Amino acid sequence: MYKNNDKQEILRLANELMPGGVNSPVRAFRSVNCQPVIVESAQGAHVTDIEGKTYIDYVCSYGPLIFGHTPDWLVEEITQAAAKGTTYGFTTPHEVELAEIIRDAYPACEMMRMVNSGTEATMSAIRVARAYTGRDKILKFEGCYHGHSDSLLVKSGSGLLTQGVPTSPGVLASLVAETLVCPYNDAAALETMLAAHQGEIACLIMEPVAGNMGVVVPAEGYLKRVRELCDKYGIVLIFDEVITGFRVDYHSAAGVWNVTPDMVCFGKIIGGGLPVGCYGGRRELMEMVSPVGPVYQGGTLSGNPLAMRAGIAALSRLRDNPAYYETLLANTSYLDEAITKLIKKHNIPAVTSRCRTMFCLFFTPQPVTCYADVMTCDLDMYRRFFEGMLASGVLLAPSQFEAWFPSLAHDKAILDETIAAVDNVFAML
Ligand SMILES: *Cc1c(COP(=O)(O)O)cnc(C)c1O
């Protein structure tokens, strides 16, 4: 056992017990080459570490915390839920209620299954699409992340029409050979790929706004074009809205761009900060799933009552207060504009990238529209920026390739504090 919240002692033990001392690699802070933050507690827009230092938090657990940390009503809801039982292995009314809220917000999700993570959601949606179409291949975009299931840990090969290669040992080359990889935002490349694989591709899975290589905004008309091409080739279009769902708008990316996918995956926000995922889509597709259809998928803790009640509490608040999205939009663009001015003021080789309520700062002088652009970023400059911000009491993701997640708890005063810190840190870069 470690003593007295001694950080060095906790880190030593963590590294003895867990690979890299963490349960998810980014938390090890390797790409910024400094000691990880170990969190004690959090409230609103702030997290406090075990040494008692408080930071303005732009990680917000990588997306779920649209209200910020520990709003009273959520703590109350989870407490009440826990007192009635934490899991049963039977259906509860809460699962039905959350599903109805999601369906009403996202009409393309006619029928759905709750799971425990985004990874499980995308993996299961792909299984359904393969079963439905009787085809083996899937297509994803370079730089989009859909969790860590084997078929999706893949990057593009050397040429456009070559097969994907695994990004991790332990992933079978024979499996990844069924995953095609295309550049994001390039409709012509996609068309070439689809034409070359007619009748072979079960589904195309994409983040409608790329949020796992920083933030990359879909080009004008791009999502509509993807929809048309999927229709043309009989491909199931899966929107992975694990980040964008209930963040870019209450009706998610499908609502904003008025493009209807065949299937959708959610996670993060829909669990109100508890572990959850969800996949769904057209009835005809979802009726493939057991026990109605032959496609197996289950889960001991799926539809967990704590997660469902937290999700209902969060989504119903968002539904009943459209002004929340206006506030979040106004605040995110306020942050964007202020940082854009500071980039000019200090002549920093950087650009901001914002899509509605999603924001990111790239240390490259050029606009970023795809993964190849993202790869031009100066990672050492990000590292120095990150370190400076941390020292100024602002906690950013310890990686250039993550979005910033301002929440509803990030009010003007907190944003101004952040902007002042950016001004100081830019001056030292
Ligand atoms: C976070 C994320 C996932 C994976 O979700 P987990 O809950 O971490 O398994 C999948 N897709 C996208 C777009 C994500 O951002």
Side-chain angles (χ1 to χ4, degrees):
M1 185 53 187
Y2 56 86
K3 301 178 221 65
N4 303 330
N5 275 1
D6 176 337
K7 180 165 179 181
Q8 298 318 314
E9 186 58 16
I10 294 172
L11 283 173
R12 189 197 58 72
L13 194 55
N15 278 286
E16 183 181 313
L17 295 169
M18 304 184 288
V22 293
N23 283 311
S24 197
V26 71
R27 298 179 199 170
F29 282 45
R30 293 258 166 119
S31 63
V32 287
N33 197 25
C34 64
Q35 271 206 350
V37 166
I38 300 185
V39 173
E40 164 72 32
S41 64
Q43 177 145 57
H46 294 95
V47 295
T48 302
D49 73 7
I50 49 158
E51 295 176 311
K53 270 184 276 181
T54 293
Y55 304 90
I56 300 174
D57 178 20
Y58 285 94
V59 180
C60 285
S61 197
Y62 295 95
L65 304 178
I66 195 166
F67 290 99
H69 295 276
T70 56
D72 292 344
W73 49 264
L74 184 66
V75 174
E76 175 74 6
E77 187 68 24
I78 296 170
T79 308
Q80 283 188 12
K84 290 186 151 195
T86 53
T87 179
Y88 313 107
F90 295 98
T91 298
T92 68
H94 313 300
E95 292 156 67
V96 186
E97 187 178 346
L98 184 59
E100 188 181 31
I101 291 174
I102 292 173
R103 191 269 317 270
D104 290 349
Y106 204 100
C109 193
E110 292 175 348
M111 206 179 216
M112 71 204 81
R113 269 281 166 83
M114 298 294 170
V115 291
N116 302 291
S117 67
T119 295
E120 239 185 299
T122 58
M123 179 183 84
S124 309
I126 288 169
R127 185 180 301 145
V128 169
R130 281 177 160 153
Y132 177 80
T133 56
R135 300 173 178 178
D136 289 347
K137 290 201 189 300
I138 64 173
L139 190 149
K140 78 176 282 291
F141 292 115
E142 201 171 25
C144 284
Y145 177 71
H146 307 290
H148 63 89
S149 70
D150 285 0
S151 295
L152 293 164
L153 290 181
V154 51
K155 63 180 178 197
S156 57
S158 48
L160 178 60
L161 296 178
T162 60
Q163 65 198 32
V165 293
T167 52
S168 167
V171 173
L172 298 180
S174 60
L175 182 63
V176 161
E178 306 299 340
T179 306
L180 303 167
V181 184
C182 248
Y184 181 78
N185 258 342
D186 186 341
L190 177 63
E191 201 161 356
T192 306
M193 180 78 91
L194 299 188
H197 292 280
Q198 291 195 37
E200 297 173 27
I201 304 171
C203 62
L204 184 163
I205 184 165
M206 73 182 300
E207 293 177 77
V209 181
N212 283 284
M213 48 172 162
V215 173
V216 180
V217 185
E220 182 76 43
Y222 177 62
L223 298 175
K224 282 218 151 62
R225 186 70 191 132
V226 170
R227 174 71 273 182
E228 284 165 12
L229 288 170
C230 286
D231 286 340
K232 179 174 171 190
Y233 291 100
I235 293 166
V236 174
L237 175 59
I238 306 173
F239 272 3
D240 179 351
E241 299 231 34
V242 171
I243 287 183
T244 50
F246 299 90
R247 173 163 302 272
V248 293
D249 183 82
Y250 186 69
H251 301 288
S252 306
V256 172
W257 282 275
N258 195 21
V259 172
T260 305
D262 302 297
M263 297 190 79
V264 58
C265 300
F266 293 109
K268 299 191 173 132
I269 288 177
I270 68 156
L274 271 68
V276 86
C278 170
Y279 73 100
R282 271 200 345 258
R283 182 169 305 280
E284 181 191 6
L285 280 146
M286 289 306 291
E287 283 182 344
M288 296 292 296
V289 178
S290 176
V292 178
V295 176
Y296 189 73
Q297 178 270 313
T300 303
L301 292 164
S302 291
N304 176 265
L306 268 57
M308 295 299 105
R309 287 184 60 173
I312 293 164
L315 295 193
S316 59
R317 261 174 188 71
L318 293 170
R319 177 193 60 205
D320 298 339
N321 298 280
Y324 282 151
Y325 287 96
E326 285 159 36
T327 303
L328 207 54
L329 260 174
N331 287 353
T332 315
S333 68
Y334 180 75
L335 190 67
D336 183 16
E337 279 160 30
I339 293 180
T340 301
K341 277 193 196 123
L342 294 174
I343 288 172
K344 289 206 184 79
K345 173 179 166 188
H346 296 280
N347 198 21
I348 303 288
V351 288
T352 64
S353 181
R354 181 173 74 87
C355 190
R356 297 178 66 87
T357 53
M358 290 166 67
F359 174 78
C360 165
L361 171 62
F362 286 118
F363 285 95
T364 179
Q366 65 180 69
V368 171
T369 63
C370 66
Y371 184 73
D373 295 339
V374 173
M375 287 299 112
T376 65
C377 286
D378 181 340
L379 300 187
D380 188 60
M381 189 171 273
Y382 184 80
R383 183 188 62 72
R384 286 182 281 130
F385 176 70
F386 171 87
E387 233 171 32
M389 293 297 284
L390 192 69
S392 315
V394 181
L395 183 55
L396 303 173
S399 160
Q400 167 74 91
F401 308 120
E402 304 286 351
W404 298 34
F405 290 108
S407 75
L408 287 160
H410 291 66
D411 60 21
K412 272 275 157 59
I414 288 172
L415 296 175
D416 285 335
E417 214 182 306
T418 306
I419 292 159
V422 172
D423 196 3
N424 287 331
V425 174
F426 274 0
M428 296 185 301
L429 279 185

